[in-house]
Amino acid sequence: MKKKKLNIGMVGYGFMGRTHSNAFSQVNNFFDLQHRPVLKAICARDAGKAKAFAAQDQRHPGNLARAIEPGAAILFGGQQFDVFIITQRARRHVEFRAHVFEAKPNL
């Protein structure tokens, strides 16, 4: 059975971002799910570091690198996500959550 894509947007590229990226790529090896997670885009304060993360992260080839944008407002506009993960420190969650729900109220 072909698995349906679960398009994921993510804020952050540090330790927790890398941990979540790895989990998305491995989850179907351990669980029988109807969906296949695909990390479509990341958002970060430093576009250069975000692009370096995308170049290094080969678990989501062809998807992540072309979708990177420097800034939350640009990232959310025009992208289709099923899930959005915020891997920033807790004090930044509220800020990014507000951006997400403003742009994508159905998430």
Side-chain angles (χ1 to χ4, degrees):
M1 174 175 79
K2 186 173 180 173
K3 296 180 184 280
K4 181 180 175 185
K5 286 183 182 180
L6 183 70
N7 295 316
I8 300 170
M10 184 170 72
V11 174
Y13 54 82
F15 176 77
M16 289 308 296
R18 292 170 191 274
T19 301
H20 280 77
S21 176
N22 183 53
F24 301 146
S25 68
Q26 298 291 328
V27 69
N28 287 110
N29 294 331
F30 299 99
F31 301 99
D32 186 22
L33 305 174
Q34 296 177 3
H35 293 84
R36 180 176 54 88
V38 177
L39 184 57
K40 296 297 285 183
I42 65 170
C43 171
R45 290 175 289 180
D46 186 320
K49 288 181 181 179
K51 288 178 183 177
F53 170 83
Q56 184 182 26
D57 187 342
Q58 297 300 311
R59 292 177 289 261
H60 307 276
N63 294 308
L64 186 56
R66 67 182 163 84
I68 285 185
E69 297 288 349
I74 295 171
L75 175 71
F76 303 138
Q79 294 285 333
Q80 178 59 46
F81 299 109
D82 300 306
V83 175
F84 209 88
I85 304 293
I86 301 173
T87 66
Q88 291 283 321
R89 291 179 175 94
R91 62 183 158 83
R92 306 235 25 227
H93 275 225
V94 174
E95 171 190 346
F96 280 104
R97 189 175 58 220
H99 287 297
V100 170
F101 286 124
E102 181 179 312
K104 305 288 184 189
N106 60 335
L107 284 179

